[in-house]
Amino acid sequence: MGVQSENPLTVDQVFAALVAVRAAPVVDPELRPDGPIAEDVPELLGALLAKVELEAAALVPPGDTEVVPQMPGLVRGWSEQVGGMDAATVVLAHRLQRTARDLDAAVGGTLLPSDPGHDLGNNDDQDHEDQEHGEDDQDDEDVPPVPALNGAVNAALAALAFLEADAHDDDPEQLRAALDGCEGMLAMALLQLHARRMQLNYRGA
């Protein structure tokens, strides 16, 4: 699966968008004396994604049992921008993959293998400052139990495997591998669901 951008965003465009919505990250002037560079685009896009998704979540809160009036417009705008089903499938597969990574990041990167990366040159100092102020020490009630997060990660990866299986419909070997991966992820999610239920029973609830 893959998709090509007809008009790839430049680093200046992405940074300008972040400035416009008051979400631009602080750039280390020693490492980036001329501002962000092309290498920083993934991190800047991540920041822009976060800003947009926070706004969308505020407009259409998750967990609502009824479709709120804003949801159709949100979906319609997304669909019109993404285009046809092929592109939509790739974007949704990317979203599922990123969802698993985002859930992992929520607990400090303990659920999935970590990826090497870079930042805009200001995170090392921020990490040190956070440790000094004790911001790394979160209350237990602020962090969902690991089985629940593990289950959510595996459920997202299972959905991703479903999409990959559909993409390999004409290749029996790759289709079988994708289905095997999906089945394994679902089995792990069910196991973690059972573990979460056992935690509930242990508390006598």
Side-chain angles (χ1 to χ4, degrees), residues 135-147:
E135 292 182 15
D136 282 343
D137 296 325
Q138 295 174 302
D139 295 332
D140 290 341
E141 62 186 65
D142 292 335
V143 180
V146 171

Side-chain angles (χ1 to χ4, degrees), residues 156-193:
L157 292 177
L160 173 60
F162 262 124
L163 292 180
E164 290 177 341
D166 188 58
H168 298 310
D169 190 56
D170 57 348
D171 187 328
E173 186 174 341
Q174 292 194 40
L175 174 58
R176 186 175 293 106
L179 292 174
D180 287 346
C182 180
E183 188 173 11
M185 292 298 177
L186 286 174
M188 288 299 297
L190 288 172
L191 181 63
Q192 287 142 2
L193 174 62

Side-chain angles (χ1 to χ4, degrees), residues 93-117:
H94 168 265
R95 185 193 295 176
L96 289 166
Q97 186 177 36
R98 187 165 49 84
T99 295
R101 289 288 175 185
D102 289 343
L103 286 167
D104 179 52
V107 290
T110 60
L111 305 178
L112 292 170
S114 59
D115 290 330

